[in-house]
Amino acid sequence: MQFSRTTRFATLLAGLFLAFSMVAVDHADARRSGSFGSRGAKTFQQAPTTRTAPQPTAPVERSMTPNTGPTAARPGAAQAQSQRPGFMNGFGGSMLRGLMLGGLIGLLLGQGFGGLAGMFGLLMQALLIGGAIWLVLRLLRAQPARSPEPALAGAGAGGGVARRDVGSSDIGRSFKIPSIGGSASAPAPAAQPTHRDIELGQQDLDTFERMLTEVQEAFGREDHKELRRLATPEMVSYLSEELAENAQKDVRNDVSDVRLLQADIAEAWNEGDRDYATAALNYAAIDVLRDRKSGDVVEGEAGTATETTELWTFVRQTGGDWKLSAIQQA
């Protein structure tokens, strides 16, 4: 079956438009159902599954807690990797991608496999020329740099003790000189926070159920003062950001009739002077978007409650009240 050039071009544009549309939809959905907040040292760890939330919970996507775990990338490592010099990462890669795209477009516009054959010929030439250029640049970078002058003077050929001139700024400071033949001890690793499992009582569980309703209703009323009482400053910042976005769109999130259906504790632990507890909550609520001026429902059904399962993490300092510190979608 043969197609005209116009048909091929229209098909190509339609495919590109569909791809970009899918990316935009995925981004919007991720923003509305994201997981955010802090769970102390367990922020980036997977919470245990429970009877209420038997499936793995979405990881925290937005948090002010630094990721210092063993799987965390070093600062700048990803950027350094992306900027590492190489033929495929620089001009050569861009040129090859351009040639392949040109051959593909040539095939779609009616040049057939002849366009692809020409593309592969140019591809081989580009590989040879680009490879030679890359090899020369690699050899130039590999030349040894001039050795710097020794920073400390006065050490004899036999390895005597190095002397350090003490200036006026060093008066009153103490420092140690490594013994001859010894090696300076490596700095001690940073102490990791200790985790200790704790037991919660029925009073704590009742508090979590009450806070579920209070947080939802305060969010629906756009009551920032109440949110500051119920949640950590980090969580208040995330919730306030969403409320500001609703205000820009001239809508407000109306949440009512919150009912807890099922709940259990995924884990509870102590870190120094703070206690943490992650609870799996399955609840129903009427959650709609209304026009700020008319009050009409613009999204959702006013008379129908929707069911949601989330993991809420609460934190309290010694002798303090529980506060909401993270929400994860289950």
Side-chain angles (χ1 to χ4, degrees), residues 22 27 51 235 247:
M22 293 175 65
H27 175 74
R51 181 171 56 92
M235 288 297 293

Side-chain angles (χ1 to χ4, degrees), residues 13-29:
L13 289 180
L16 293 175
F17 178 78
L18 178 60
F20 283 113
S21 298
M22 293 175 65
V23 171
V25 170
D26 288 343
H27 175 74
D29 290 343

Side-chain angles (χ1 to χ4, degrees), residues 114-180:
L116 286 176
M119 178 195 71
F120 286 119
L122 291 176
L123 179 62
M124 293 302 299
Q125 296 180 23
L127 284 174
L128 293 175
I129 297 174
I133 296 175
W134 176 78
L135 181 60
V136 172
L137 294 177
R138 185 67 179 268
L139 291 175
L140 291 176
R141 290 193 184 96
Q143 290 183 357
R146 181 181 178 183
S147 301
E149 295 294 333
L152 296 177
V161 179
R163 296 187 301 174
R164 175 171 180 244
D165 294 332
V166 180
S168 59
S169 60
D170 293 324
I171 297 176
R173 298 182 182 178
S174 61
F175 58 92
K176 296 181 179 179
I177 300 177
S179 59
I180 299 175

Side-chain angles (χ1 to χ4, degrees), residues 72 172 177 275 307:
I177 300 177
D275 293 336
E307 186 174 336

Side-chain angles (χ1 to χ4, degrees), residues 218 223-233 236 240 323:
D223 190 343
H224 293 270
K225 181 179 179 180
E226 184 70 1
L227 289 176
R228 286 192 295 268
R229 184 184 70 84
L230 297 169
T232 62
V236 172
S240 298
K323 289 181 177 291

Side-chain angles (χ1 to χ4, degrees), residues 81-94 97:
Q81 179 70 19
S82 63
Q83 295 178 353
R84 179 176 298 174
F87 178 65
M88 291 303 295
N89 292 334
F91 171 75
S94 301
R97 289 189 292 269

Side-chain angles (χ1 to χ4, degrees):
M1 181 182 296
Q2 295 184 356
F3 299 92
S4 64
R5 292 185 177 182
T6 303
T7 304
R8 293 192 183 99
F9 187 71
T11 302
L12 176 61
L13 289 180
L16 293 175
F17 178 78
L18 178 60
F20 283 113
S21 298
M22 293 175 65
V23 171
V25 170
D26 288 343
H27 175 74
D29 290 343
R31 182 187 63 81
R32 290 179 59 88
S33 60
S35 300
F36 48 91
S38 297
R39 300 177 63 239
K42 295 188 177 185
T43 297
F44 301 98
Q45 297 180 13
Q46 186 71 50
T49 58
T50 69
R51 181 171 56 92
T52 303
Q55 300 299 327
T57 306
V60 173
E61 300 168 348
R62 301 177 61 189
S63 178
M64 296 181 183
T65 301
N67 189 356
T68 58
T71 59
R74 295 189 306 272
Q79 182 178 4
Q81 179 70 19
S82 63
Q83 295 178 353
R84 179 176 298 174
F87 178 65
M88 291 303 295
N89 292 334
F91 171 75
S94 301
M95 182 167 56
L96 293 179
R97 289 189 292 269
L99 289 174
M100 288 186 289
L101 181 59
L104 179 60
I105 294 176
L107 176 64
L108 292 174
L109 294 182
Q111 296 180 9
F113 289 98
L116 286 176
M119 178 195 71
F120 286 119
L122 291 176
L123 179 62
M124 293 302 299
Q125 296 180 23
L127 284 174
L128 293 175
I129 297 174
I133 296 175
W134 176 78
L135 181 60
V136 172
L137 294 177
R138 185 67 179 268
L139 291 175
L140 291 176
R141 290 193 184 96
Q143 290 183 357
R146 181 181 178 183
S147 301
E149 295 294 333
L152 296 177
V161 179
R163 296 187 301 174
R164 175 171 180 244
D165 294 332
V166 180
S168 59
S169 60
D170 293 324
I171 297 176
R173 298 182 182 178
S174 61
F175 58 92
K176 296 181 179 179
I177 300 177
S179 59
I180 299 175
S183 59
S185 59
Q192 298 294 329
T194 57
H195 304 154
R196 179 175 57 87
D197 293 340
I198 60 175
E199 296 290 337
L200 300 181
Q202 185 61 42
Q203 182 178 358
D204 299 314
L205 303 181
D206 295 340
T207 299
F208 299 158
E209 180 178 358
R210 173 178 53 81
M211 291 182 65
L212 169 68
T213 302
E214 292 178 347
V215 170
Q216 294 282 6
E217 293 181 351
F219 182 81
R221 298 192 309 268
E222 300 182 348
D223 190 343
H224 293 270
K225 181 179 179 180
E226 184 70 1
L227 289 176
R228 286 192 295 268
R229 184 184 70 84
L230 297 169
T232 62
E234 178 182 1
M235 288 297 293
V236 172
S237 68
Y238 297 141
L239 298 175
S240 298
E241 180 182 346
E242 186 168 348
L243 291 177
E245 292 179 359
N246 289 341
Q248 292 179 354
K249 300 175 183 178
D250 290 330
V251 297
R252 62 181 179 87
N253 199 174
D254 186 9
V255 184
S256 60
D257 294 340
V258 181
R259 293 182 296 105
L260 181 65
L261 304 178
Q262 182 175 324
D264 50 24
I265 300 298
E267 54 183 345
W269 69 99
N270 169 266
E271 293 181 15
D273 63 342
R274 297 192 176 192
D275 293 336
Y276 288 87
T278 297
L281 306 175
N282 174 249
Y283 63 93
I286 298 178
D287 189 350
V288 298
L289 285 179
R290 295 182 180 272
D291 185 270
R292 301 184 74 88
K293 298 178 181 178
S294 64
D296 296 335
V297 176
V298 297
E299 183 177 336
E301 298 182 10
T304 303
T306 57
E307 186 174 336
T308 305
T309 301
E310 295 174 332
L311 260 64
W312 284 33
T313 297
F314 303 88
V315 62
R316 68 178 176 187
Q317 287 188 322
T318 304
D321 297 329
W322 288 107
K323 289 181 177 291
L324 176 65
S325 65
I327 294 179
Q328 297 171 264
Q329 302 297 317

